[in-house]
Amino acid sequence: MSHLHCAAYRLPLDRPLVMGIVNLTPDSFTGDGLAGGGDVVARAIEHARAQWEAGADILDLGAESTRPGAIATPLQEELDRLLPVLEAIAGWGVPVSIDTYKPEVMRAAIAAGAAMINDICGLTRPGALEAVAASDVGVCLMHMQGEPGTMQVAPQYRDVVAEVGDFLAGRVDACRAAGIADARIVLDPGFGFGKTLEHNLALLRDLPATSPEGLPILAGMSRKTMIGQITGRPVAERLPGSLAAALLAADGGAKIIRVHDVAATRDVLSVWQAVRQQ
Ligand code: 8Y4
């Protein structure tokens, strides 16, 4: 059985793992942002605890809003939001992933005990590859077309599955050249990141083809616009659609499912596992 190497952790890949989202951004777009005041650090730690107790295999901490149309968060603000929460939870025994594309944030987070870097830019920013290579953390390389501010304006592909696969293969080559072992790498087609609904559906239908290297795939569709487009539901009512998407991702071979609703997703994946494994 293969494992994903993430610093001190070895995550078994014989069943789909659940990555629980811990949102440290001040916007309330997803319904679990930290708008509303109060002790933001304490509330984030509580949310992390709840996600872990619900059965998350990995916690994904993000302090920069990357929703369509969002503007970039200043470096110091991102560090000030992330580090107190990371320092509080790094000793719990749960692997913590840090959602960032900034090499300075990567280095600080790795020093503070992060087990994985989740980079929506696939380590393309100058210094990002080196920051991860200088450590032993795992890394998720995600595909995005364009930049968060404008990526949903007019996404275009000749062949979305092939282009995402080619991009990810190129990033794997860059990681290998930098000395990052395959056992540390997860690939992600980046649902919603510069993709129309049709692009997202094509990727979900053909998930294994987005990982030409056969490396483990992470899928993140929880509560996203694509679920809203299919169901007609607002973000607060997208749990059933998100669970269906999680099930389809698992069936398509995804090894990590990134979600807001950990307990419900675990139940869905338990049913998938009972039917599909043995
Ligand atoms: C409602 C809920 C509306 C969620 C929008 C959103 C991914 C990711 C994000 C992903 C990986 C998001 C940081 C976008 N999505 N990282 N991050 N894969 N690896 N939007 O799909 O959740 S943030």
Side-chain angles (χ1 to χ4, degrees), residues 9-226:
Y9 297 92
R10 297 288 174 272
L11 306 181
L13 295 172
D14 58 336
R15 63 171 176 92
L17 302 177
V18 175
M19 171 182 269
I21 298 170
V22 180
N23 186 8
L24 311 186
T25 62
D27 66 64
S28 55
F29 185 73
T30 62
D32 61 2
L34 299 175
D39 187 340
V40 172
V41 171
R43 287 168 59 204
I45 294 167
E46 270 175 49
H47 188 226
R49 172 72 66 170
Q51 294 288 64
W52 186 36
E53 286 175 355
D57 299 290
I58 311 168
L59 299 178
D60 189 43
L61 260 57
E64 165 141 63
S65 179
T66 48
R67 68 189 164 81
I71 46 164
T73 306
L75 170 64
Q76 195 57 49
E77 205 173 309
E78 193 177 341
L79 288 169
D80 290 346
R81 287 189 210 150
L82 274 175
L83 292 180
V85 180
L86 174 58
E87 283 160 7
I89 69 182
W92 290 357
V94 60
V96 180
S97 157
I98 301 295
D99 154 25
T100 189
Y101 55 79
K102 296 191 185 85
E104 300 90 339
V105 175
M106 293 176 187
R107 288 186 186 272
I110 291 165
M116 180 187 281
I117 297 298
N118 173 25
D119 186 354
I120 61 163
C121 297
L123 301 182
T124 55
R125 298 293 170 113
L129 202 54
E130 293 79 3
V132 170
S135 76
D136 193 28
V137 300
V139 62
C140 179
L141 304 170
M142 199 193 80
H143 172 274
M144 169 167 52
Q145 184 179 83
E147 307 251 313
T150 53
M151 64 190 179
Q152 290 305 109
V153 173
Q156 278 186 5
Y157 300 85
R158 166 185 49 81
D159 177 339
V160 66
V161 173
E163 286 174 54
V164 168
D166 287 350
F167 169 82
L168 294 176
R171 298 318 299 157
V172 171
D173 287 344
C175 283
R176 287 173 178 160
I180 300 169
D182 284 15
R184 298 170 56 193
I185 302 173
V186 180
L187 303 180
D188 183 342
F191 290 103
F193 285 85
K195 282 117 188 159
T196 64
L197 175 60
E198 283 312 315
H199 296 140
N200 290 317
L201 293 174
L203 291 166
L204 183 54
R205 285 185 192 110
D206 210 359
L207 210 48
T210 66
S211 178
E213 307 282 340
L215 292 173
I217 296 171
L218 185 154
M221 293 178 278
S222 182
R223 301 186 191 174
K224 280 185 179 174
T225 298
M226 63 179 287

Side-chain angles (χ1 to χ4, degrees), residues 235-260:
V235 67
E237 298 170 14
R238 293 179 189 165
L239 175 58
S242 299
L243 295 176
L247 184 70
L248 288 161
D251 215 44
K255 291 295 199 289
I256 305 180
I257 316 289
R258 180 181 180 274
V259 300
H260 299 85

